[in-house]
Amino acid sequence: GKKAGSRNLSYALGDLEWERVRRAYLRVAEAAFAAGARAVTPVFYGSKRSKNLKDLERSLPRELPKVRSLGGSVHPMGTCGIGRTCEGDGRVRGYENLYVADASLFPTSIGVNPQFTVMALGTAVAAGILDSPS
């Protein structure tokens, strides 16, 4: 069963988003082959192992929404950007005592591993909370 207070979030991707997902599969595979990979298998149910980019491009369904995709993200960034959803100190606008202290504060995805930037943001937000009069 569900835990009390749990929430389910879902959203539907449009044609443009699914085309971007398809292109992302191809770009990731292109990088893997360039780095020396001998084969690539995309992360969706029923995908096929491809030994080169042309084979992968042919094997990727044109209509990915009909494929059971294993969607996910390693570094979601920019979902609560400073200046849009959050104040500069990490406070979420419209909520008392709710702070964001991770890559969500970025204005957008930065395209590189955000480890040190996230640690700096988290430290700055935490220091601000500790220093604020309560």
Side-chain angles (χ1 to χ4, degrees), residues 4-126:
S6 67
R7 300 285 187 262
N8 288 327
L9 299 174
S10 65
Y11 58 92
L13 297 180
D15 292 341
L16 177 63
E17 289 82 15
W18 281 112
E19 178 55 30
R20 287 178 176 164
V21 169
R22 188 175 193 283
R23 282 194 330 239
Y25 280 130
L26 293 171
R27 295 300 69 87
V28 168
E30 183 177 28
F33 286 126
R38 293 185 181 143
V40 170
T41 306
V43 287
F44 62 82
Y45 295 106
S47 63
K48 295 185 170 115
R49 182 180 167 125
S50 299
K51 293 190 177 185
N52 59 58
L53 199 56
K54 285 186 181 189
D55 286 344
L56 177 62
E57 193 162 10
R58 279 192 295 270
S59 73
L60 277 178
R62 285 282 170 212
E63 296 184 18
L64 279 174
K66 294 181 179 178
V67 174
R68 292 181 60 203
S69 180
L70 302 173
S73 179
V74 178
H75 300 296
M77 300 178 221
T79 57
C80 298
I82 292 175
R84 288 191 331 264
T85 306
C86 293
E87 301 297 337
D89 63 357
R91 282 182 295 123
V92 178
R93 291 183 180 155
Y95 294 88
E96 189 175 328
N97 296 321
L98 177 60
Y99 291 81
V100 173
D102 63 8
S104 301
L105 292 173
F106 294 176
T108 187
S109 176
I110 60 174
V112 296
N113 188 320
Q115 178 180 356
F116 294 115
T117 308
V118 170
M119 288 189 303
L121 279 171
T123 300
V125 170

